[in-house]
Every structure is written in structure tokens, then in C-alpha cells.
């Protein structure tokens, strides 16, 4: 998947609320380790141990709004991949674990660090990555955030790290 | 002058860099395991480049599902075997051991820059390297190009003083640190361990501490390269790999912490987060019945760990309500344990010894918990579902605490046995 992403368009969807410390074990449980080379099947279990109904009810474009340290734990890139595969357009959290954050950008799943406290389950949310604004259409409010560092924005815009390298013939940090 | 993290990244970027800067740096070793390797191979193919930057410095470890319990995983192993065959990458076969232990035993040296598609790659910081876990795509790119991009992290300094009392180990130190600063207390930062107390920590102790730096969110956990490092490399017949590394005199640390090793007690992390830590004498630790004790993993499956556990278990029996599983972290450890008669001690005590690798740590096979069961493990994580069942409960502690607990059938203070 190397579709370039237009960063100026809003990403719009319903919010799913999650709490603090959602680990990669909760996102992509170890007991489905054997499905890692079959991401479509693995995606049927995405976030199963945090919210069992998530995988069957999530819709294309939906947004995750989580608390602190989202994605802590293992380096398994399968975790962000199945979140993306399930249709989630962007993950908002108060903070992210480092490897998970980087993995999201590498596979072209937008991530935003912002205050998610006021977002409620089911709110209609629109995220403008370049402007650094989250609009909550249900509540008529706005949350501002600092856009990603330049290098990450470029990787994301190029559609992930592999597409970035192919396009630029190497890393293009500046 | 610079922190150890800044020094190593500067050397590999070919210019002086400081915390906060973005760099592209040359990587000395890039590896993946059987859970992350197949995706790395797929990404390498998607990149469409021919060959690997350094095949002999590219390693795939078959350690998580080892031996494979299902055909899907056997097929993943086959993918990695044939990719290694095609490209000249190194393959560490089933039974040879956990990636990080194998890398410490024979691959990493001070000043190295290491990336691994496994979050506990930070283990290798114990050797005075900058070693960090990344996802399959980052590591695939590093394998293909010999480079990766980094944001140079700020560093936290952990100043260690004194020495451990009897029955207290480096596992207790790192659990205590994580309990103090929290599971996100070092997010994005490099943890650097220095001070006079560092000298009393042998390489196995350091590996345990660096291993768990990611449980505080750390990008890596670095120890100085010193006489201990030199001795460890000498024992492996590669003393020439030694190079001293220490922080610059006026290096800037974001924060400094002091720990007196002599004041620590055995610690236990309670379910389901690693920072949920209590001293063994806390009333919460009273009468916590344990169904399974697991000794092993990249955290505490080394020969020194098995010696400590065997010393306690010798001529004793596990509690009838408690099963014991021991998994040496590498073939080398296993053979040494056999020679020293430790394996017999575990088996006579009523334990099961499994083949070297990750064992029950990640819930793929062997030692999966039943609903409501409690396990005391020497591993590094106790997340819900970690050992294959979200209805299970995982407690973390040192090998000594694990052995004492196996005997008593409930959380036990190892100081009564040493
Ligand atoms: S022993 Fe456990 S923590 Fe270590 S690499 Fe294996 S699965 Fe990961």
C-alpha cells in the first residue's frame, strides 16, 4: 500500500474510547501469534482483550481516542497494521509508547498526541493533520495539537517508510 | 561532552549530534525473530532492493515458537530459512536460544549501534552499545541499507551506590526503578546506569537491567564499557572487541536518580502492569498462592540465574500445588547447566525443563495459564494475556524469589533460603 496521503484533508469518523496502557498484547494477542502472516485473519481479533466487540463493530474511517502510553509493550508491527486494516483512520492518544508510535508512521497510520479526555464514545471527530486540529463535530469543540516532526510527516505523506525510501532513494530527513 | 547515547550515535552518524536532533546512522547489527521476521522479509521484498547491506550482520532468530507448535509457524520458519539461504543472512535455528541472549554471547560489543525487531533489543545496552527495538519495517530497511534514522534521545542518569544484600538481585533493582518512575517514566529516553555501584554488577546483572529499560518506556538502557565488560568479552574469547565507553564529564542529563543497592529488598510486580511493584515484605504479598513458577527468558534465563534458583531448590521439592517450568535462554546456557548438574536439581524438585528459547513467556506454546491461574515468572512483562490467556495473572520477580515461591506455593521471601 503506497498510496500517498493528502495531509490537508480531514480524517473523519466516529470515536472509540480506550483508557490508559493499552498494550500490544491487548491489540494483537500473543495467542494469535500463528496468524501473523495472515493479517486479515489477525485483524478479526484486533483489540479483542481490551474491547471484545471492537473488531466486529468498527467501521471504515473510525477513530481511536485513547489515554496514556497507547501501544506499550512489544515491537510487533502487526498491532498497528491490524488497527489500520480494520479501517481505523487515525489514532489519538494522550501519549504513545515509542516503538508503536514509530511503527504507525512507518506503515502509514496517522497518530496524534492530544488531550483526549473530553472526547466521548461515538462523537463525530474530524482530524486535520497539517493544521494540528481535532474538530469534535458532536460537541462543537476543537482540540489543538503539535503536528508530527518533519521527518515523520514526510514518511507518512509518502505512504510509509518503504514507499518513502523507494521515492527518495534513501532517507530524506530534511 | 556527551552522554553515552550521544557519543554512540555521533560516531555512527559521522558527526557530533545532540539530544533532539534527527540523524541517519550506520547500524552494526540488525536482527529479527520468528514473530517479526516474516513481515521484515515481506518489507524487504517490497523495497525491491537486491541483497542485504551486511548479510553477516543480519540475523534471524527462531526463538519464540521454538520448536514450532503449529503449521502456520512452521511455514514462517521455512520462510526465514529460505530467505537466509538466498541472501546469506545468519539464521539462529530452533533450540539455539533467545535472540538477545545469543547476541550478547557472541555478536555485540561496546560502541555498537544495534536495531532489532523485538522490543527487548535494549538488552544489549548492557555491553555499552546503543541497542533499541523497532518494528519489522524499520529493521527491514536497516537490513537492506545498513542504516536507520533516529531522533537522538535525551538521557536519564541512574547513579548506583553500594552493593546488593544477600537475596537481592538486579531484577529487584530494575523492578524498583520501574515502580518508582512508572511504565512511561522513561518514554523515548535513554536510561544510562553509572556510579560506583555499577562495578559490583556483573554482565548478567546488567543484561537484566538493560532488558527491562523498555518496561519504563526507555529507548535503550546503557551501561558503561568497563572492566566487567572486558572480562565478559574475554570469557567469550573476543577481548579485542573491548573499547571503553563512559559518559562525558559534563554530559547533560535530563534527570538524575540515585539508588543505594544496599537498601533494596526483593520486589514483585503484580498483574497487569510492570510498574505495579511491591516489596516482598508488603502485606499485599502475604498468602498469594501461585499455580505456576516460570524461570527463564531474555531477562533471567542465564546460567547465573539458574545457579541461584538451583541453589535454593537443591534437595527440596516444589509445593504440590505449584508447577515449575525452567527454560534456559540459550543452548550454551543449557549445556552449562547440564554440566553443573542444575538440570537434575530442577527435575528432581518436580520441575519441567524445556528447550532453549522464549518458552512460555509470550503464550505461544508451553505453560499457557488456565483461567484464574497465577504465575510467578522471571520474565519482563505481566500484561493481561501475555502468557496466552487474558484470564491469567502474572507476577514478576527474580529467579531467587521464583525458586522460593515454587517451594512454598505462594509468594515467598528468598532471603530465608540464601
Ligand atoms: S523471552 Fe520473552 S521477552 Fe524475551 S524475546 Fe522472548 S518473548 Fe520476548
Amino acid at each position: 500500500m503506497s498510496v500517498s496521503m493528502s495531509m490537508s484533508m480531514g480524517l473523519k469518523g466516529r470515536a472509540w474510547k480506550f483508557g490508559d496502557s493499552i498494550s500490544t498484547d491487548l491489540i494483537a494477542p500473543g495467542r494469535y501469534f500463528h496468524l501473523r502472516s495472515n493479517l486479515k485473519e489477525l485483524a478479526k481479533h484486533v483489540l479483542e482483550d481490551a474491547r471484545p466487540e471492537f473488531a466486529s463493530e468498527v467501521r471504515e474511517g473510525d477513530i481511536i481516542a485513547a489515554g496514556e502510553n497507547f501501544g506499550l509493550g512489544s515491537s510487533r508491527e502487526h498491532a498497528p497494521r491490524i488497527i489500520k486494516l480494520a479501517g481505523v483512520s487515525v489514532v489519538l492518544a494522550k501519549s504513545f509508547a515509542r516503538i508503536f508510535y514509530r511503527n504507525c508512521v512507518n506503515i502509514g497510520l496517522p497518530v496524534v498526541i492530544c488531550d483526549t479526555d473530553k472526547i466521548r464514545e461515538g462523537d463525530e471527530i474530524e482530524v486535520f493533520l497539517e493544521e494540528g486540529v481535532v474538530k469534535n463535530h458532536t460537541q462543537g469543540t476543537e482540540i489543538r495539537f503539535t503536528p508530527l516532526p518533519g521527518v515523520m510527516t514526510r514518511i507518512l505523506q509518502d505512504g510509509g517508510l518503504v514507499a518513502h525510501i523507494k521515492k527518495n532513494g534513501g532517507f530524506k530527513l530534511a | 561532552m556527551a552522554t553515552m547515547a550521544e557519543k554512540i550515535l555521533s560516531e555512527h552518524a559521522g558527526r557530533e549530534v545532540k539530544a533532539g536532533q534527527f540523524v541517519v546512522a550506520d547500524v552494526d547489527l540488525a536482527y529479527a525473530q520468528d514473530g517479526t521476521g516474516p513481515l521484515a522479509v515481506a518489507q524487504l521484498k517490497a523495497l525491491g532492493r537486491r541483497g542485504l547491506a551486511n548479510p553477516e550482520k543480519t540475523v534471524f532468530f527462531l526463538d519464540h515458537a521454538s520448536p514450532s507448535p503449529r503449521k502456520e509457524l512452521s511455514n514462517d520458519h521455512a520462510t526465514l530459512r529460505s530467505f537466509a539461504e538466498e541472501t546469506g543472512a545468519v539464521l539462529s535455528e530452533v533450540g539455539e536460544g533467545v535472540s538477545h541472549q545469543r547476541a550478547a554471547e557472541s555478536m555485540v560489543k561496546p560502541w555498537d549501534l544495534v536495531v532489532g525487531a523485538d522490543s527487548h533489543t535494549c538488552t544489549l545496552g548492557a555491553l555499552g552499545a546503543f541497542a533499541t527495538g523497532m518494528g519489522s519495517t524499520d529493521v527491514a530497511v536497516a537490513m537492506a541499507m545498513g542504516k536507520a534514522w533516529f531522533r537522538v534521545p535525551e538521557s536519564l542518569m541512574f547513579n548506583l551506590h553500594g552493593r546488593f544484600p544477600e537475596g537481592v538481585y538486579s531484577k529487584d533493582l530494575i523492578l524498583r526503578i520501574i515502580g518508582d518512575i512508572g511504565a512511561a517514566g522513561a518514554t523515548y529516553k535513554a536510561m544510562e546506569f553509572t556510579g560506583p555501584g555499577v562495578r559490583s554488577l556483573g554482565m548478567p546483572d546488567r543484561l537484566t537491567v538493560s532488558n527491562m529499560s523498555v518496561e519504563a518506556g526507555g529507548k535503550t538502557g546503557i551501561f558503561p564499557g568497563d572492566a566487567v565488560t572486558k572480562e565478559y568479552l574475554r570469557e567469550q574469547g573476543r577481548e579485542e572487541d573491548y573499547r571503553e565507553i563512559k559518559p562525558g564529564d559534563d554530559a547533560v542529563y535530563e534527570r538524575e536518580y540515585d539508588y543505594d543497592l544496599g537498601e533494596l529488598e526483593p520486589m514483585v510486580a503484580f498483574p497487569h502492569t510492570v510498574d505495579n511493584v511491591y516489596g516482598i515484605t508488603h502485606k499485599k504479598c502475604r498468602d498469594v498462592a501461585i499455580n505456576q513458577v516460570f524461570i527463564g527468558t531474555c531477562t533471567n534465563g542465564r546460567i547465573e540465574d539458574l545457579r541461584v534458583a538451583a541453589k535454593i531448590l537443591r534437595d527440596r521439592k516444589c509445593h504440590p500445588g505449584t508447577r515449575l517450568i525452567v527454560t534456559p535462554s540459550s543452548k550454551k546456557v543449557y549445556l552449562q547447566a547440564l554440566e553443573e548438574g542444575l538440570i537434575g536439581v530442577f527435575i528432581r524438585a518436580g520441575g519441567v525443563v524445556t528447550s532453549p528459547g522464549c518458552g512460555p513467556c509470550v503464550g505461544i506454546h508451553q505453560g499457557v495459564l488456565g483461567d484464574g491461574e497465577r504465575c510467578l515468572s522471571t520474565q519482563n512483562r505481566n500484561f493481561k494475556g501475555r502468557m496466552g490467556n487474558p484470564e491469567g495473572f502474572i507476577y514478576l520477580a527474580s529467579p531467587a524469589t521464583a525458586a522460593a515461591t515454587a517451594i512454598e506455593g505462594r509468594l515467598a521471601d528468598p532471603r530465608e533460603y540464601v
Side-chain angles (χ1 to χ4, degrees):
Chain A
M1 249 181 298
S2 60
V3 202
S4 295
M5 186 178 312
S6 164
M7 305 277 284
S8 52
M9 241 168 51
L11 300 164
K12 207 167 175 180
R14 294 180 307 171
W16 287 80
K17 283 284 283 195
F18 287 87
D20 294 341
S21 305
I22 301 295
S23 71
T24 51
D25 280 293
L26 294 177
I27 301 168
R31 64 180 175 281
Y32 302 120
F33 198 95
H34 59 287
L35 296 177
R36 286 190 181 183
S37 291
N38 186 353
L39 288 174
K40 267 209 188 106
E41 273 306 305
L42 188 61
K44 292 184 181 160
H45 304 284
V46 62
L47 281 157
E48 184 171 285
D49 290 343
R51 295 188 59 174
E53 76 285 10
F54 181 80
S56 54
E57 292 176 14
V58 65
R59 288 202 303 251
E60 195 65 34
D62 279 0
I63 285 168
I64 288 176
E68 303 282 0
N69 212 7
F70 191 83
L72 79 156
S74 112
S75 68
R76 64 189 77 149
E77 193 177 293
H78 314 75
R81 279 186 188 273
I82 60 175
I83 289 178
K84 188 177 179 197
L85 210 57
V88 170
S89 61
V90 50
V91 182
L92 318 177
K94 289 205 257 181
S95 62
F96 288 91
R98 184 192 71 82
I99 304 176
F100 182 88
Y101 189 65
R102 192 172 163 126
N103 281 344
C104 287
V105 172
N106 283 341
I107 65 151
L109 173 64
V111 271
V112 167
I113 300 172
C114 69
D115 184 358
T116 52
D117 274 347
K118 297 222 170 65
I119 298 175
R120 282 186 306 246
E121 177 83 7
D123 279 359
E124 197 63 34
I125 300 289
E126 192 169 10
V127 180
F128 296 88
L129 294 172
E130 235 166 50
E131 293 84 341
V133 187
V134 175
K135 290 194 174 155
N136 187 328
H137 293 303
T138 308
Q139 300 186 26
T141 51
E142 276 188 15
I143 310 162
R144 303 223 143 244
F145 63 89
T146 313
L148 287 170
V151 50
M152 293 185 121
T153 304
R154 265 186 299 280
I155 293 172
L156 200 54
Q157 272 172 340
D158 289 341
L161 186 61
V162 166
H164 173 83
I165 298 281
K166 282 177 125 172
K167 183 177 155 192
N168 301 295
F171 296 98
K172 193 161 181 286
L173 294 198
Chain B
M1 293 293 250
T3 63
M4 292 190 279
E6 288 168 332
K7 282 186 176 184
I8 298 170
L9 285 172
S10 294
E11 182 162 293
H12 288 79
R15 67 191 165 97
E16 190 103 345
V17 293
K18 287 271 163 223
Q21 288 181 292
F22 289 87
V23 300
V24 174
D26 294 332
V27 163
D28 295 299
L29 176 69
Y31 64 85
Q33 28 88 343
D34 43 354
T36 56
L39 183 51
V41 166
Q43 292 299 83
L44 273 158
K45 292 193 171 143
L47 257 179
R49 296 197 168 216
R50 293 215 138 260
L52 302 167
N54 301 301
E56 69 291 352
K57 291 286 187 182
T58 303
V59 191
F60 292 94
F61 294 92
L62 309 185
D63 56 2
H64 280 58
S66 174
S68 165
R70 347 182 19 135
K71 64 174 193 239
E72 295 90 339
L73 296 166
S74 307
N75 290 338
D76 283 344
H77 284 185
T79 301
L80 297 178
R81 282 190 192 101
S82 57
F83 184 77
E85 175 85 6
E86 270 164 43
T87 57
V90 180
L91 187 80
S92 176
E93 262 295 347
V94 167
E96 292 202 54
V98 184
S99 61
H100 318 303
Q101 176 62 18
R102 296 266 297 120
E105 283 171 358
S106 58
M107 300 173 194
V108 174
K109 57 186 189 304
W111 287 88
D112 272 358
L113 180 55
V114 180
V115 298
D118 188 284
S119 59
H120 294 105
T121 305
C122 52
T123 310
L124 283 328
L127 284 129
F130 188 102
T132 191
M134 292 181 169
S136 299
T137 300
D138 266 319
V139 171
V141 168
M143 287 173 169
M145 303 180 47
K147 290 173 194 303
W149 74 268
F150 300 84
R151 179 182 174 279
V152 183
E154 290 77 19
S155 290
L156 306 176
M157 179 187 274
F158 294 82
N159 246 315
L160 310 182
H161 309 272
R163 352 176 103 249
F164 291 122
E166 280 280 293
V168 178
Y169 304 87
S170 71
K171 179 64 159 283
D172 302 305
L173 167 66
I174 189 64
L175 284 175
R176 172 68 195 276
I177 290 176
I178 296 166
D180 288 349
I181 70 173
T187 294
Y188 196 71
K189 318 273 191 266
M191 298 168 79
E192 300 196 9
F193 301 89
T194 59
V198 155
R199 262 174 281 154
S200 70
L201 266 60
M203 189 52 68
D205 303 323
R206 296 178 181 194
L207 288 162
T208 301
V209 172
S210 291
N211 175 269
M212 291 190 69
S213 53
V214 67
E215 309 313 333
K219 181 165 183 164
T220 185
I222 311 180
F223 276 84
D226 59 10
V228 169
T229 323
K230 192 171 181 181
E231 175 58 21
Y232 183 71
L233 293 169
R234 197 190 55 76
E235 280 166 17
Q236 298 173 353
R238 52 189 190 108
E239 195 178 350
E240 69 283 1
D241 278 353
Y242 176 70
R243 239 176 100 196
E244 186 190 54
I245 179 163
K246 60 181 180 193
D249 289 335
D250 47 5
V252 179
Y253 285 87
E254 191 177 280
R255 230 182 127 171
E256 297 186 19
Y257 299 86
D258 284 278
Y259 281 90
D260 184 346
L261 305 181
E263 284 177 0
L264 295 171
E265 62 167 332
M267 307 295 294
V268 181
F270 277 56
H272 295 288
T273 56
V274 186
D275 56 4
N276 190 15
V277 172
Y278 296 90
I280 191 74
T281 51
H282 191 280
K283 61 178 188 306
K284 273 203 79 146
C285 295
R286 240 178 270 150
D287 288 321
V288 180
I290 296 291
N291 307 95
Q292 174 171 301
V293 167
F294 170 42
I295 300 175
T297 78
C298 56
T299 319
N300 278 125
R302 281 174 274 281
I303 189 67
E304 294 77 6
D305 300 313
L306 302 191
R307 283 180 193 141
V308 165
K311 200 169 158 215
I312 294 173
L313 283 159
R314 189 175 293 275
D315 301 326
R316 292 197 172 97
K317 288 259 178 280
C318 293
H319 189 272
T322 308
R323 53 191 187 268
L324 168 69
I325 303 173
V326 180
T327 303
S329 62
S330 74
K331 184 161 82 183
K332 194 173 167 196
V333 171
Y334 195 11
L335 284 169
Q336 183 72 28
L338 271 171
E339 262 171 41
E340 294 181 20
L342 311 183
I343 301 297
V345 171
F346 299 129
I347 294 174
R348 279 190 293 273
V352 173
V353 179
T354 78
S355 51
C358 299
C361 180
V362 74
I364 300 166
H365 55 16
Q366 299 175 327
V368 172
L369 301 179
D371 292 349
E373 281 196 323
R374 285 188 284 263
C375 177
L376 176 71
S377 171
T378 65
Q379 70 197 55
N380 42 38
R381 287 197 172 133
N382 58 354
F383 302 147
K384 195 175 170 191
R386 175 76 185 177
M387 296 182 84
N389 184 352
E391 305 302 327
F393 297 86
I394 307 166
Y395 297 72
L396 309 176
S398 74
T401 304
T405 297
I407 294 165
E408 295 194 15
R410 57 196 166 90
L411 289 185
D413 192 333
R415 289 172 298 189
E416 286 160 31
Y417 294 85
V418 294

